[in-house]
Amino acid sequence: MPEWLVLTLAMLAACAVVVVVTLVRHRTASDDEDPTETPDVIEYMTMWIGVVYAIVLGLAIAGVWEARSAAQDHVQTEAVALHEISERVRVYPPDVRDRIRDDVNAYVGHVVTTEWKTMADHGRVTERGTELLDRVRADVTDYEPRSDFEAQAYQPLVDQVTAADQARIARSESTGATMPGVVWFGLIAGAVVTIGMVFALQIRRTTRELVLAGLFSALIAFLLFLIWDFDAPFSRGVAASTEPFLNLFPGVEG
C-alpha cells in the first residue's frame, strides 16, 4: 500500500473517530447537561497536556530526522572514500589501477542495486557486499609500491579503505528502526489522552467545533506518521538515497 494512502487513511480515521464519538456523546448526554460549564481545572489540564505532548512530538521528530541525516552522511562518506580510491590509484601500474577500479565499481554497483533493496526489505547489508569490499581492501593493501611516488600514495589509499569500511559498518547499524517500542507506546498513549481531553471540554455538535476537533486529530495523526516514516532511514518514503554513489560513479546503474 502506498505511504501517501496510509497517511490519508490515518488522518481520515482520526477525524472520523472524533466526529463519531462527539455525535454519540451528544445523543447520550443528559438533557440538563450544560456544555458551557467546563471546570477551569479541566481547561488548565488540557492546555498543559497539549503543551507537554507537543514538546514530546517535537523531540521525537528531531530525533528521527537526526538519525535519517546521519544515515545519509554515512552513505556520503562511504561514496567519497571509494571515489578517492578510484582516483588515487592513477599512480599505480595500469593493470593494478584497472583491477582496483573494476573492483570498486563492482562493489558500488552491488550496493546501489542489490544491497540497497536488501536494507530496505530486511534491514541488513549483504554478505556479498562485504566480500566485494574485502576484495578492494586486498587489492590496495597487498600491492607493494615500486617507487617512492607509489609509496607516498599507498598509506592514503589504505586510509580511504578504512574510511569506507567504517562508513559501511555505520550504514549497516543505521538500517533498522531508531525509535524504541516504549517510546512508540508513549507517543500513541499521549495522542489518545490529548485527543480524549477534547471531549473533557464538553465539545458540542457545531460545525465549527467538529471541524476544529477533526483537524486537531488529523494533525496529530500526520505528525505520528511523519515520525514513523523517518524512523527507518533506508526503507520508507523520506529515506536516505543512493545519490552520492550515483553522482561519483555515473557509470554505475542504479
Side-chain angles (χ1 to χ4, degrees), residues 113-140:
T113 54
T114 305
E115 186 164 86
W116 211 265
K117 189 176 186 304
T118 301
M119 289 193 303
D121 295 341
H122 306 289
R124 60 177 175 81
V125 296
T126 62
E127 294 182 2
R128 177 59 178 168
T130 302
E131 293 174 359
L132 290 173
L133 185 58
D134 288 342
R135 183 184 300 174
V136 174
R137 180 187 293 106
D139 290 341
V140 172

Side-chain angles (χ1 to χ4, degrees), residues 48-61:
W48 276 108
I49 288 174
V51 170
V52 171
Y53 188 64
I55 294 174
V56 172
L57 279 177
L59 291 175
I61 293 174

